Each structure stands twice: as structure tokens, then as C-alpha cells.
Amino acid sequence: MIYGTEEIHRAIPHRPPFLFVDRVLEVDDKHIVAEKFLSPDLDFFKGHYPHFPVMPGVLTCESIFQAGAILLSQQGGMMESGSVPVLARIRDARFKRLVRPGDMVALTVELEDKVGMAFFMKGKATVNGELAVSVSFTCALAKTPEPMGA
């Protein structure tokens, strides 16, 4: 099943300009494969080395984390329960290749373990089959505040 923008918006609270997943190609309880196309007109390319634009490594990691959040949305209706995934730990981030305008970034995340409301994952971003970033990370679920007047 391929997820587009509408399904991604239902799965996670991120929205443009801070949404770094365009579509989900496959997902189950333990893994996800998603994509992000890096349009050359994205704002961060204008200022992150204007004469040699590169996607900031932290944003490549954020793409992986967002794919992980979509994976977690498969774990039982986080959005409906008033919880959102928040990053709790980043480990072993490794940057192997530059990510540039026009690249299609493939994002793969695996759920390795769950302890209570902590989810231990590892992910990677690749471009044309070449590893760009790998990272291990942990997400926890945080309750969202009730809207004012509720």
C-alpha cells in the first residue's frame, strides 16, 4: 500500500515546510520504506552553501525520524489517543554521502524493540542505492495538551 500526503498527514502531526516524507512505499508493524524528493527550490538549499547546496545532515536525520513516526502510527492510533512521537535519543549517526538538490532520498526504518512507551529504531537514508546517513534512535510518546476551551 502506498501512502500519499493525505495518509501521511493522518499518521503524523508534521506539516510543510517541516514535512520531509513525500510518500510511503511499504509499511508494516516492524519496518517502513518511504521517499522524499528534494526539490531544488527548497528554502534550506538557498542558505546552506548557496554555491554548492547540500541538505543539512540534521534534516536528513529528521526525514528518517519522520518515517519512524509514521511507522509508529501503525502501533495503535497515537494521533487518536492524543499522543505524538517525540525524539528521546539519537545514537551512532553516520554521514556517508552528500544529499543534494534533485535527489530522491529513500528512507528505511526498522523497529528493533519496544519497552513501555519507548520505541527503539534504526534507520537509513540512501540516494541511488548509496548510503547517505545511518542512525539509531529512540522515540517516546508524549501526551498532547488539550485544546483551550476543551
Side-chain angles (χ1 to χ4, degrees):
M1 164 189 261
I2 294 178
Y3 285 17
T5 303
E6 187 175 312
E7 294 87 0
I8 291 168
H9 284 179
R10 278 198 299 268
I12 60 174
H14 303 79
R15 297 294 182 268
F18 209 77
L19 179 61
F20 297 108
V21 177
D22 291 335
R23 64 187 188 148
V24 174
L25 303 178
E26 58 185 77
V27 63
D28 61 29
D29 290 343
K30 296 285 185 183
H31 94 286
I32 187 169
V33 178
E35 289 181 326
K36 172 64 180 169
F37 174 70
L38 298 179
S39 174
D41 65 350
L42 289 168
D43 280 342
F44 56 81
F45 285 132
K46 295 174 188 167
H48 197 249
Y49 309 132
H51 300 294
F52 186 72
V54 175
M55 184 177 193
V58 68
L59 294 183
T60 307
C61 287
E62 176 65 22
S63 300
I64 296 167
F65 303 152
Q66 288 183 16
I70 296 167
L71 172 61
L72 292 184
S73 76
Q74 304 298 301
Q75 299 291 320
M78 288 183 305
M79 298 288 277
E80 292 82 12
S81 71
S83 296
V84 295
V86 294
L87 196 58
R89 179 173 67 182
I90 301 170
R91 287 190 359 207
D92 302 322
R94 297 173 190 261
F95 302 90
K96 302 289 189 175
R97 177 195 193 281
L98 295 176
V99 180
R100 308 279 326 272
D103 284 345
M104 177 66 78
V105 182
L107 308 161
T108 305
V109 177
E110 293 180 28
L111 177 61
E112 294 185 308
D113 198 9
K114 177 185 178 210
V115 178
M117 297 312 284
F119 299 85
F120 299 86
M121 295 179 273
K122 68 177 179 181
K124 65 181 179 179
T126 60
V127 176
N128 296 325
E130 292 181 46
L131 182 63
V133 175
S134 63
V135 63
S136 294
F137 61 103
T138 304
C139 285
L141 296 183
K143 284 285 188 192
T144 57
E146 291 196 28
M148 291 179 57

